[in-house]
Amino acid sequence: MDTAVVSNEEFLATVAEKSDGAALRGDYSTADAQYVVKQNWAAYTEEEHALWRRLYKRQEALVPGRACDEFITALAALKAADGIPDFEQTSEALEKATGWRIVAVPGLIPEQAFFNHLANRRFPVTVWLRTPAEFDYIVEPDVFHDYFGHVPLLFDPVFADHMQEYGKGGLKAMKLGGLDYLARLYWYTVEFGLIQSPQGLRVYGAGILSSGGELEYCLKNTPSRHIPLNVERCMRTLYKIDSYQETYFVIRDFKQLFEDTAPDFTPMYERLKQVEPLPANTLLPGEQDLLAGS
C-alpha cells in the first residue's frame, strides 16, 4: 500500500481482493479518517461480558511463570477480569503512566492509519469480541487479543517508547519499500516475542499472551527454535499465521529491543532486497537454540 490516505471503500476493496472476496468482520461505516469509532461500551451484552470473563480466566491462570513480570504487574493493576473494559477509563490510567491512549477501531486498519496512531502514542483496539465458537482460535484480532495481549505492556515506559518509534519507522518504511521487513519484526517481537529473565525465558508477545495453547508451547523444548534477536535476521525470516511459530526470537530486556530498533533501517532494507527470505524454521550456522538440551 502506498503512502496516500485511502478511503474506507478503497481499503475494504483491497482486503476483498487479497482474500478472495472475504470481508473484514468489523463495522467500518462510522469510522473517521483515522479509522476511529465509538466503543459504545453500553452496547455489549451480558453474554459478551461472560465470554470475556471466560477468556480472561483461562489466560490469567496461564500467565504466572510464563509471562514477563512487567506484563503480570500491569495486568493486575488494570482490574479487567469482570467484563469488557471501558477504553476511556483505561486511557486515563495509561496516559498518566506513559502518555498513551487507546483508540477504538472496527478491526484491522490500513498501515498508514496504524502507524500514525502509534507514532502519536495511540494504540488501536478492536471493539468487537469473538463468538463462543471462536474461543480457542480467531482469524482477525478482536478486543480480547488487542486489550489483554497489547495494552498491559504499554504501561512499561521503555516498551511504550519502542512502540511509538515503531510507528514512526512504519511511516518511513512505507516510502522505502520496507513494509514486509518491518511486518516481520513486529510479528516476531510485539506479537510473538520472548524475553530473558532470571527465571528463564518469558513471554511478552501479545499473540502468545492471548493464546490458550501457544503460551504453554512456546516455552518448551519443541521442534521450534528459540534464538537471540538479531534485527536483520528477524526481518529476513518468514512467519506462520496459521500454526504455532517455528522460530521465536528472544530479547535480553526491553532496553535491547528499543536500542536495537533505533538505527536507521534504510541500509538494512536495501540489503534485504538483495537476498531471499529465510523459511520460518531456519537455524543458521553458528546459531543455537536457547532451549536445546533443556
Side-chain angles (χ1 to χ4, degrees), residues 98-249:
T98 58
W100 277 76
R101 292 188 65 83
I102 293 173
V103 291
V105 293
L108 295 172
I109 61 176
E111 289 97 342
Q112 182 166 15
F114 180 69
F115 295 141
N116 266 326
H117 284 307
L118 297 188
N120 289 281
R121 297 180 92 86
R122 300 186 300 261
F123 193 84
V125 176
T126 302
V127 293
W128 55 265
L129 182 66
R130 69 191 72 185
T131 66
E134 298 167 307
F135 187 82
D136 290 316
Y137 178 76
I138 190 167
V139 177
E140 288 180 52
D142 69 341
V143 61
F144 184 77
H145 165 80
D146 284 347
Y147 190 98
F148 186 97
H150 286 286
V151 171
L153 282 181
L154 292 173
F155 283 86
D156 181 86
V158 179
F159 188 82
D161 286 347
H162 164 70
M163 290 297 290
Q164 182 178 28
E165 293 306 310
Y166 181 90
K168 294 176 181 178
L171 293 173
K172 183 176 180 180
M174 295 183 74
K175 304 173 183 177
L176 298 172
L179 277 185
D180 285 347
Y181 310 123
L182 204 63
R184 293 170 191 163
L185 178 66
Y186 189 90
W187 185 269
Y188 278 120
T189 57
V190 177
E191 291 289 358
F192 289 92
L194 302 182
I195 187 170
Q196 293 278 12
S197 82
Q199 295 75 37
L201 298 189
R202 294 293 183 265
V203 176
Y204 72 93
I208 307 176
L209 292 166
S210 60
S211 166
E214 195 155 3
L215 190 50
E216 295 183 276
Y217 172 87
C218 71
L219 297 176
K220 295 179 179 178
N221 183 14
T222 64
S224 294
R225 319 292 193 177
H226 305 75
I227 61 177
L229 176 68
N230 174 285
V231 171
E232 189 163 345
R233 156 74 157 99
C234 178
M235 286 186 174
R236 191 183 171 190
T237 308
L238 301 174
Y239 56 81
K240 298 293 183 74
I241 63 171
D242 56 357
S243 67
Y244 294 157
Q245 298 308 298
E246 295 184 345
T247 294
Y248 296 99
F249 288 93

Side-chain angles (χ1 to χ4, degrees), residues 68 70 156 158-159 162 194-198 204 229 250-260:
C68 65
E70 295 88 344
D156 181 86
V158 179
F159 188 82
H162 164 70
L194 302 182
I195 187 170
Q196 293 278 12
S197 82
Y204 72 93
L229 176 68
V250 183
I251 59 173
R252 295 187 303 275
D253 50 34
F254 292 139
K255 181 181 178 183
Q256 181 206 352
L257 182 63
F258 182 84
E259 292 178 346
D260 285 6

Side-chain angles (χ1 to χ4, degrees), residues 248-284:
Y248 296 99
F249 288 93
V250 183
I251 59 173
R252 295 187 303 275
D253 50 34
F254 292 139
K255 181 181 178 183
Q256 181 206 352
L257 182 63
F258 182 84
E259 292 178 346
D260 285 6
T261 56
D264 180 7
F265 285 164
T266 304
M268 198 179 298
Y269 293 153
E270 293 306 312
R271 290 194 297 271
L272 289 166
K273 291 174 185 177
Q274 307 306 313
V275 296
E276 291 295 318
L278 297 171
N281 63 350
T282 300
L283 191 66
L284 295 175

